[in-house]
Amino acid sequence: MNTRVVAARLRERLSRLRGSLSRLRERLPPGTLAIAGTLLVLGVGGAVLARTLDVGVVIEAAATADPAFLAAALAAYLLSWPLRGRRYGDVLAPMGHRCRTAFLTAAVFASQTANLIVPARAGDGVRAYLLNDRRDVPYPTGVASLAVERAFDLVALGVLGGAALAVLLVDGRAAAPDGSGRALAAAGGIAVAAALGSAVTVAVARSDRRFGPALRDRFDGSRLSRAVDAAVRFGAAVRVVAADGAALVRVFLASAVVWALDVATAVLVLAALVGGFGGGVAPVTLLVVGTLAVSAGNLAKVLPLSQGGIGLYEAAFTGIVVATTPIAPEVALAAAVLDHALKNGVTLAGGAAAAAAFDLSLTGRPDESTADAESAATRPTTDR
C-alpha cells in the first residue's frame, strides 16, 4: 500500500480519536479526569503499599513523632507564606501594579487552596480574578505574573535539588549498587532540567528579539489569531519582569528562601520521626536528603495525574529518603505523609481565612473565574 495513503488514513483515525476524546471531555463534569486520576494514583499506591510495607509500622511511626519538632516545622512553613506574598508583589511591581503584602498573601492562600480542593487547577483563575476584581489588574497581567512565579519556583527547586545531588555524589551516596543511584541521578537530572528550562525562558524574555509582530503577521486572519494575540501580550508582560534586573534578583532570592523554608519543614518532620538530629542520622545528611526529597516531590506534583499531587509527592519523597539513608521505608513514608499533610493543612486553613475575608466561595463554580480570565485574555487591553 502506498505510504501516503497509509499516512492519510492514520491522520484520519487520529483526528477521529481526538474528536471522540474531545466530545467525551465535554460530556463529563468539570474535574472528573482529575478526580479519576487521583483515585487511580491512590489505588495503585495503596496496593503497592499493602504489598511492600507494614502499614501498622507506618501508622505507629507517625503517631510517635516528636511534637516539638512538628511545632518547629509548622512555624517554619507558616513563615514562608508572607514571603510568598512579598515575592508576588515583586513580580507584579515591574508590571505597573503595586499591592500590599497582606492582600497578596491572602490571594496566594486562596488560589493555592482552590488548587487543592477544586479539580483542574482552578486556583490560577481564582488569583487572576481576585487581582482583577479587587485591584483592577488586567487578566493577561495576572496570568503572566503567575507564569513568572512558577518559572522561579522551578528555578529555585532545580538549584536546590541540583546542589543536594552534587553533595550526595561527592559523598558517594548516589552510587548505590542496587540501582537507587540511577533513581537519584534521574531525580537530580529532572531538577536541573527544570531549572535550566526556566532560566532559558527568562533569558529569551530578556533578549532584544521580539517575536510578537512576526507571529501576528503569520496568523493574521486565521482562527488562531485571537489566541496568538493573547499569547503575544502575555509574553510582553513576562518580558517586563525579565527586563528588570533588580526585580529578577529579588524574585529569585525570595523564591530560594521560600523553598528553603519548605525544605526546613520537611527536615524537621524527618527529625521528629528519627529521634532528632542526633538519632542515628547526621544532621547534614537529613538536610541534604530532605532538600533533594522536597525538590523531587514537588517536581513530581507538576504531573497532572492527581489532585494536589496526592500520592505523587509521597512516592517521590519516600523513594529519595530510602535510597540515600538508613531510614526504614515505613518511617520515610510516614515522614512524607506528615510533611505533605502539614503543608496542605496550613494551606487549607489559610485559604479558608482568605475566602472569608474576600467573601469568596472557593468551591462555588470556580470555572467562572477561570473562564473570565481566559476570555479577558483575548480582549484588547492597554496593559503593557
Side-chain angles (χ1 to χ4, degrees):
M1 184 177 296
N2 189 289
T3 304
R4 293 182 178 178
V5 175
V6 174
R9 290 182 178 179
L10 180 60
R11 285 194 297 269
E12 182 181 357
R13 291 178 181 178
L14 288 174
S15 178
R16 290 178 180 176
L17 178 61
R18 285 195 295 267
S20 299
L21 291 175
S22 177
R23 288 191 294 271
L24 176 62
R25 179 172 294 182
E26 290 174 358
R27 293 176 182 175
L28 291 174
T32 300
L33 295 180
I35 295 173
T38 302
L39 294 176
L40 178 61
V41 170
L42 292 178
V44 173
V48 173
L49 173 63
R51 291 176 62 88
T52 60
L53 300 179
D54 189 332
V55 179
V57 175
V58 176
I59 297 174
E60 181 181 356
T64 57
D66 188 329
F69 280 100
L70 292 182
L74 176 62
Y77 193 61
L78 286 172
L79 182 60
S80 71
W81 281 93
L83 293 176
R84 293 172 188 264
R86 183 61 267 155
R87 176 184 65 164
Y88 195 47
D90 288 334
V91 172
L92 283 172
M95 299 180 180
H97 300 279
R98 296 187 179 275
C99 305
R100 293 183 180 274
T101 299
F103 167 76
L104 293 175
T105 302
V108 174
F109 259 127
S111 65
Q112 294 293 80
T113 299
N115 278 335
L116 286 179
I117 64 178
V118 179
R121 295 193 64 83
D124 295 347
V126 169
R127 197 187 308 187
Y129 165 77
L130 286 173
L131 288 170
N132 179 264
D133 184 64
R134 305 303 171 94
R135 296 296 184 270
D136 294 324
V137 177
Y139 279 116
T141 301
V143 175
S145 65
L146 281 164
V148 173
E149 182 187 75
R150 297 275 167 76
F152 277 93
D153 280 338
L154 289 176
V155 170
L157 282 170
V159 169
L160 291 172
L165 178 63
V167 173
L168 289 174
L169 289 171
V170 170
D171 191 43
R173 295 178 183 272
D178 60 356
S180 59
R182 289 190 293 272
L184 281 173
I190 293 173
V192 173
L196 289 177
S198 299
V200 168
T201 300
V202 173
V204 171
R206 283 180 59 83
S207 70
D208 294 331
R209 300 193 63 181
R210 299 184 179 276
F211 303 97
L215 286 173
R216 283 195 172 103
D217 292 341
R218 173 67 178 81
F219 293 95
D220 184 34
S222 70
R223 290 182 295 178
L224 297 176
S225 60
R226 294 180 66 191
V228 169
D229 184 64
V232 169
R233 286 185 285 108
F234 166 85
V238 175
R239 178 187 289 272
V240 170
V241 180
D244 189 331
L248 281 179
V249 172
R250 289 195 300 271
V251 174
F252 172 74
L253 292 177
S255 299
V257 174
V258 164
W259 286 106
L261 287 170
D262 199 284
V263 167
T265 303
V267 171
L268 288 166
V269 170
L270 272 172
L273 295 176
V274 298
F277 292 113
V281 181
V284 174
T285 300
L286 281 180
L287 177 60
V288 172
V289 171
T291 301
L292 185 57
V294 168
S295 299
N298 280 282
L299 289 171
K301 288 167 61 176
V302 173
L303 298 174
L305 300 180
S306 69
Q307 187 63 29
I310 297 175
L312 299 175
Y313 180 88
E314 287 79 2
F317 188 104
T318 303
I320 294 297
V321 173
V322 171
T324 55
T325 68
I327 296 175
E330 289 84 358
V331 176
L333 177 59
V337 172
L338 281 177
D339 176 50
H340 207 188
L342 183 151
K343 292 170 180 175
N344 284 347
V346 169
T347 303
L348 289 170
F358 290 136
D359 191 22
L360 176 70
S361 174
L362 293 175
T363 58
R365 304 183 69 179
D367 297 326
E368 289 183 353
S369 60
T370 305
D372 289 343
E374 293 175 350
S375 62
T378 63
R379 294 197 297 267
T381 176
T382 57
D383 183 70
R384 292 291 184 267

Short mmCIF file of all heavy atoms in Angstrom, two decimals, residues 294-336:
data_model
loop_
_atom_site.label_atom_id
_atom_site.label_comp_id
_atom_site.label_asym_id
_atom_site.label_seq_id
_atom_site.Cartn_x
_atom_site.Cartn_y
_atom_site.Cartn_z
N VAL A 294 12.36 16.99 48.82
CA VAL A 294 11.36 18.04 48.58
C VAL A 294 11.37 18.47 47.12
O VAL A 294 10.31 18.68 46.51
CB VAL A 294 11.60 19.23 49.53
CG1 VAL A 294 10.77 20.44 49.09
CG2 VAL A 294 11.27 18.85 50.95
N SER A 295 12.56 18.62 46.54
CA SER A 295 12.66 19.01 45.13
C SER A 295 12.00 17.96 44.24
O SER A 295 11.19 18.29 43.36
CB SER A 295 14.12 19.19 44.74
OG SER A 295 14.73 20.22 45.49
N ALA A 296 12.34 16.69 44.47
CA ALA A 296 11.77 15.62 43.66
C ALA A 296 10.26 15.52 43.86
O ALA A 296 9.50 15.34 42.90
CB ALA A 296 12.44 14.29 44.01
N GLY A 297 9.81 15.66 45.11
CA GLY A 297 8.38 15.56 45.38
C GLY A 297 7.58 16.66 44.71
O GLY A 297 6.51 16.41 44.14
N ASN A 298 8.08 17.89 44.77
CA ASN A 298 7.34 19.00 44.16
C ASN A 298 7.40 18.96 42.64
O ASN A 298 6.45 19.36 41.96
CB ASN A 298 7.88 20.32 44.68
CG ASN A 298 7.34 20.67 46.04
OD1 ASN A 298 6.21 21.13 46.19
ND2 ASN A 298 8.13 20.43 47.09
N LEU A 299 8.51 18.48 42.08
CA LEU A 299 8.57 18.33 40.63
C LEU A 299 7.63 17.21 40.17
O LEU A 299 7.04 17.29 39.09
CB LEU A 299 10.00 18.05 40.19
CG LEU A 299 10.96 19.24 40.32
CD1 LEU A 299 12.39 18.80 40.07
CD2 LEU A 299 10.58 20.35 39.36
N ALA A 300 7.47 16.17 40.99
CA ALA A 300 6.53 15.10 40.66
C ALA A 300 5.10 15.63 40.65
O ALA A 300 4.26 15.19 39.85
CB ALA A 300 6.66 13.94 41.65
N LYS A 301 4.81 16.61 41.51
CA LYS A 301 3.46 17.18 41.58
C LYS A 301 3.10 17.96 40.33
O LYS A 301 1.92 18.27 40.10
CB LYS A 301 3.35 18.09 42.80
CG LYS A 301 3.30 17.34 44.12
CD LYS A 301 3.50 18.28 45.30
CE LYS A 301 2.45 19.33 45.38
NZ LYS A 301 2.61 20.18 46.60
N VAL A 302 4.12 18.32 39.53
CA VAL A 302 3.84 19.04 38.29
C VAL A 302 3.01 18.18 37.34
O VAL A 302 2.18 18.68 36.57
CB VAL A 302 5.15 19.48 37.62
CG1 VAL A 302 4.89 20.09 36.24
CG2 VAL A 302 5.88 20.49 38.49
N LEU A 303 3.21 16.86 37.41
CA LEU A 303 2.45 15.95 36.55
C LEU A 303 0.98 16.00 36.95
O LEU A 303 0.64 15.79 38.13
CB LEU A 303 2.97 14.52 36.69
CG LEU A 303 4.42 14.28 36.28
CD1 LEU A 303 4.84 12.85 36.63
CD2 LEU A 303 4.59 14.53 34.79
N PRO A 304 0.07 16.28 36.01
CA PRO A 304 -1.35 16.43 36.35
C PRO A 304 -2.07 15.08 36.49
O PRO A 304 -3.07 14.82 35.83
CB PRO A 304 -1.90 17.23 35.16
CG PRO A 304 -1.06 16.75 34.00
CD PRO A 304 0.32 16.51 34.57
N LEU A 305 -1.54 14.22 37.36
CA LEU A 305 -2.09 12.88 37.49
C LEU A 305 -3.00 12.73 38.70
O LEU A 305 -3.78 11.77 38.78
CB LEU A 305 -0.95 11.84 37.58
CG LEU A 305 -0.01 11.78 36.38
CD1 LEU A 305 1.06 10.73 36.60
CD2 LEU A 305 -0.79 11.49 35.10
N SER A 306 -2.90 13.62 39.67
CA SER A 306 -3.74 13.53 40.85
C SER A 306 -4.01 14.92 41.39
O SER A 306 -3.26 15.86 41.12
CB SER A 306 -3.09 12.66 41.93
OG SER A 306 -1.95 13.30 42.47
N GLN A 307 -5.08 15.05 42.16
CA GLN A 307 -5.46 16.33 42.71
C GLN A 307 -4.47 16.75 43.80
O GLN A 307 -4.26 16.03 44.78
CB GLN A 307 -6.87 16.24 43.30
CG GLN A 307 -7.44 17.55 43.75
CD GLN A 307 -7.60 18.53 42.60
OE1 GLN A 307 -7.80 18.14 41.46
NE2 GLN A 307 -7.51 19.81 42.90
N GLY A 308 -3.85 17.91 43.62
CA GLY A 308 -2.91 18.39 44.61
C GLY A 308 -1.63 17.57 44.71
O GLY A 308 -0.87 17.73 45.68
N GLY A 309 -1.37 16.72 43.73
CA GLY A 309 -0.16 15.90 43.77
C GLY A 309 -0.19 14.83 44.84
O GLY A 309 0.86 14.28 45.21
N ILE A 310 -1.39 14.50 45.34
CA ILE A 310 -1.51 13.48 46.39
C ILE A 310 -1.01 12.15 45.87
O ILE A 310 -1.43 11.68 44.82
CB ILE A 310 -2.97 13.36 46.87
CG1 ILE A 310 -3.43 14.68 47.49
CG2 ILE A 310 -3.13 12.22 47.86
CD1 ILE A 310 -4.89 14.70 47.88
N GLY A 311 -0.14 11.52 46.61
CA GLY A 311 0.42 10.24 46.20
C GLY A 311 1.71 10.39 45.44
O GLY A 311 2.68 9.66 45.68
N LEU A 312 1.76 11.35 44.51
CA LEU A 312 2.98 11.57 43.73
C LEU A 312 4.08 12.14 44.62
O LEU A 312 5.24 11.70 44.55
CB LEU A 312 2.69 12.52 42.57
CG LEU A 312 1.65 12.06 41.55
CD1 LEU A 312 1.38 13.17 40.54
CD2 LEU A 312 2.11 10.80 40.84
N TYR A 313 3.73 13.12 45.43
CA TYR A 313 4.72 13.73 46.33
C TYR A 313 5.26 12.69 47.30
O TYR A 313 6.48 12.58 47.50
CB TYR A 313 4.07 14.89 47.10
CG TYR A 313 5.00 15.59 48.05
CD1 TYR A 313 5.79 16.65 47.62
CD2 TYR A 313 5.09 15.20 49.40
CE1 TYR A 313 6.65 17.31 48.49
CE2 TYR A 313 5.95 15.85 50.27
CZ TYR A 313 6.72 16.90 49.82
OH TYR A 313 7.58 17.54 50.68
N GLU A 314 4.36 11.93 47.91
CA GLU A 314 4.79 10.94 48.90
C GLU A 314 5.68 9.87 48.28
O GLU A 314 6.68 9.45 48.89
CB GLU A 314 3.56 10.27 49.53
CG GLU A 314 2.78 11.14 50.49
CD GLU A 314 1.86 12.15 49.81
OE1 GLU A 314 1.80 12.15 48.56
OE2 GLU A 314 1.22 12.93 50.51
N ALA A 315 5.36 9.44 47.07
CA ALA A 315 6.15 8.40 46.42
C ALA A 315 7.56 8.89 46.12
O ALA A 315 8.56 8.20 46.41
CB ALA A 315 5.46 7.95 45.13
N ALA A 316 7.68 10.09 45.54
CA ALA A 316 9.00 10.63 45.21
C ALA A 316 9.81 10.91 46.47
O ALA A 316 11.01 10.58 46.55
CB ALA A 316 8.84 11.91 44.39
N PHE A 317 9.19 11.50 47.47
CA PHE A 317 9.86 11.82 48.73
C PHE A 317 10.38 10.54 49.39
O PHE A 317 11.56 10.47 49.79
CB PHE A 317 8.87 12.53 49.66
CG PHE A 317 9.47 13.09 50.92
CD1 PHE A 317 9.70 14.45 51.04
CD2 PHE A 317 9.77 12.27 51.99
CE1 PHE A 317 10.24 14.98 52.20
CE2 PHE A 317 10.31 12.79 53.16
CZ PHE A 317 10.54 14.15 53.26
N THR A 318 9.53 9.55 49.51
CA THR A 318 9.92 8.29 50.16
C THR A 318 11.04 7.60 49.41
O THR A 318 12.00 7.10 50.02
CB THR A 318 8.71 7.35 50.26
OG1 THR A 318 7.65 8.01 50.98
CG2 THR A 318 9.07 6.06 50.98
N GLY A 319 10.95 7.58 48.09
CA GLY A 319 11.98 6.91 47.29
C GLY A 319 13.35 7.53 47.49
O GLY A 319 14.36 6.81 47.62
N ILE A 320 13.42 8.86 47.54
CA ILE A 320 14.71 9.54 47.73
C ILE A 320 15.27 9.24 49.12
O ILE A 320 16.47 8.94 49.27
CB ILE A 320 14.55 11.06 47.53
CG1 ILE A 320 14.19 11.37 46.07
CG2 ILE A 320 15.82 11.79 47.94
CD1 ILE A 320 15.26 10.98 45.08
N VAL A 321 14.43 9.33 50.15
CA VAL A 321 14.91 9.11 51.52
C VAL A 321 15.41 7.68 51.70
O VAL A 321 16.48 7.44 52.28
CB VAL A 321 13.79 9.42 52.54
CG1 VAL A 321 14.22 9.03 53.95
CG2 VAL A 321 13.44 10.91 52.50
N VAL A 322 14.67 6.72 51.18
CA VAL A 322 15.06 5.33 51.33
C VAL A 322 16.35 5.03 50.56
O VAL A 322 17.20 4.27 51.02
CB VAL A 322 13.92 4.40 50.86
CG1 VAL A 322 14.38 2.95 50.79
CG2 VAL A 322 12.73 4.53 51.80
N ALA A 323 16.52 5.67 49.41
CA ALA A 323 17.70 5.40 48.57
C ALA A 323 18.98 5.98 49.13
O ALA A 323 20.07 5.55 48.76
CB ALA A 323 17.47 5.93 47.16
N THR A 324 18.87 6.96 50.04
CA THR A 324 20.07 7.68 50.46
C THR A 324 20.36 7.61 51.95
O THR A 324 21.39 8.13 52.39
CB THR A 324 19.95 9.17 50.07
OG1 THR A 324 18.74 9.70 50.62
CG2 THR A 324 19.93 9.33 48.57
N THR A 325 19.47 7.04 52.73
CA THR A 325 19.67 6.98 54.18
C THR A 325 19.32 5.59 54.70
O THR A 325 18.64 4.82 54.02
CB THR A 325 18.78 8.01 54.91
OG1 THR A 325 17.41 7.61 54.78
CG2 THR A 325 18.96 9.40 54.34
N PRO A 326 19.73 5.29 55.93
CA PRO A 326 19.32 4.01 56.54
C PRO A 326 17.92 4.05 57.13
O PRO A 326 17.50 3.10 57.80
CB PRO A 326 20.39 3.82 57.63
CG PRO A 326 20.80 5.20 58.02
CD PRO A 326 20.74 6.00 56.74
N ILE A 327 17.20 5.13 56.91
CA ILE A 327 15.84 5.24 57.45
C ILE A 327 14.94 4.19 56.82
O ILE A 327 14.95 3.99 55.60
CB ILE A 327 15.28 6.65 57.19
CG1 ILE A 327 16.12 7.69 57.93
CG2 ILE A 327 13.82 6.75 57.62
CD1 ILE A 327 15.73 9.13 57.65
N ALA A 328 14.15 3.51 57.64
CA ALA A 328 13.26 2.45 57.16
C ALA A 328 12.20 3.02 56.22
O ALA A 328 11.76 4.16 56.40
CB ALA A 328 12.58 1.76 58.34
N PRO A 329 11.78 2.24 55.22
CA PRO A 329 10.77 2.74 54.27
C PRO A 329 9.49 3.19 54.96
O PRO A 329 8.88 4.19 54.55
CB PRO A 329 10.52 1.54 53.36
CG PRO A 329 11.77 0.73 53.44
CD PRO A 329 12.27 0.90 54.83
N GLU A 330 9.07 2.47 56.00
CA GLU A 330 7.84 2.85 56.69
C GLU A 330 7.98 4.22 57.35
O GLU A 330 7.04 5.03 57.33
CB GLU A 330 7.50 1.80 57.75
CG GLU A 330 7.03 0.46 57.20
CD GLU A 330 8.17 -0.45 56.82
OE1 GLU A 330 9.35 -0.03 56.96
OE2 GLU A 330 7.91 -1.58 56.40
N VAL A 331 9.14 4.48 57.95
CA VAL A 331 9.37 5.78 58.59
C VAL A 331 9.46 6.89 57.54
O VAL A 331 8.94 7.99 57.73
CB VAL A 331 10.65 5.74 59.45
CG1 VAL A 331 10.95 7.11 60.04
CG2 VAL A 331 10.53 4.71 60.55
N ALA A 332 10.12 6.59 56.42
CA ALA A 332 10.23 7.57 55.34
C ALA A 332 8.85 7.93 54.80
O ALA A 332 8.55 9.11 54.55
CB ALA A 332 11.11 7.04 54.23
N LEU A 333 8.00 6.93 54.63
CA LEU A 333 6.65 7.19 54.13
C LEU A 333 5.85 7.99 55.15
O LEU A 333 5.11 8.92 54.78
CB LEU A 333 5.93 5.89 53.80
CG LEU A 333 4.48 6.02 53.33
CD1 LEU A 333 4.40 6.88 52.07
CD2 LEU A 333 3.86 4.65 53.08
N ALA A 334 5.98 7.66 56.42
CA ALA A 334 5.28 8.41 57.46
C ALA A 334 5.71 9.87 57.44
O ALA A 334 4.89 10.79 57.59
CB ALA A 334 5.55 7.78 58.83
N ALA A 335 7.02 10.11 57.24
CA ALA A 335 7.51 11.49 57.16
C ALA A 335 6.92 12.21 55.96
O ALA A 335 6.53 13.38 56.05
CB ALA A 335 9.04 11.49 57.09
N ALA A 336 6.87 11.53 54.81
CA ALA A 336 6.32 12.15 53.61
C ALA A 336 4.85 12.51 53.80
O ALA A 336 4.41 13.61 53.42
CB ALA A 336 6.48 11.20 52.42
#
